[in-house]
Amino acid sequence: MITKYIWINLPVKDISRTRAFYKSAGFDSHPRHIDDPNMEALVVGEKGVIVMLFPDSQFQTYTRNGLVDTHLGTEVLFSIDAGSRKQVDEFAEKGRSA
């Protein structure tokens, strides 16, 4: 089996606000899921990693476990590669602005 994509699924509180944040930060939506009111799918990097974001209530239908209270614990940690320190600083600034 050859894996083409990795799909990372995460819960979010507010899809509209989350979508606006990631678009402002420069991420592209997956073409199949543009403006879906029930989810956001982001294409990350050159390797086709897809981050799927779902409202908490919908996400919980996919798992039998409770959701992490991110004020009390860490749910996930991602690292994103960049070509230079300048690119890291530019990306961080986009995130702060968003």
Side-chain angles (χ1 to χ4, degrees):
M1 177 177 92
I2 297 175
T3 304
K4 292 183 180 182
Y5 294 100
I6 183 170
W7 299 78
I8 299 167
N9 299 277
L10 298 170
V12 298
K13 302 285 182 217
D14 183 322
I15 286 292
S16 297
R17 193 168 165 209
T18 300
R19 178 179 286 120
F21 172 81
Y22 282 105
K23 286 187 184 236
S24 293
F27 287 90
D28 293 322
S29 293
H30 188 281
R32 194 168 88 193
H33 303 289
I34 291 176
D35 297 325
D36 186 321
N38 300 308
M39 60 166 312
E40 176 61 64
L42 305 167
V43 180
V44 181
E46 299 170 355
K47 302 292 184 187
V49 174
I50 309 296
V51 177
M52 305 289 290
L53 304 167
F54 297 95
D56 288 347
S57 59
Q58 183 175 348
F59 184 86
Q60 278 200 280
T61 67
Y62 306 143
T63 179
R64 293 182 184 159
N65 299 322
L67 300 180
V68 172
D69 180 345
T70 55
H71 290 101
L72 301 175
T74 301
E75 183 174 41
V76 67
L77 177 63
F78 291 104
S79 299
I80 300 172
D81 185 36
S84 68
R85 178 63 196 201
K86 181 180 177 194
Q87 288 178 338
V88 170
D89 292 342
E90 289 169 355
F91 183 72
E93 183 54 38
K94 281 184 180 180
R96 280 190 289 277
S97 296

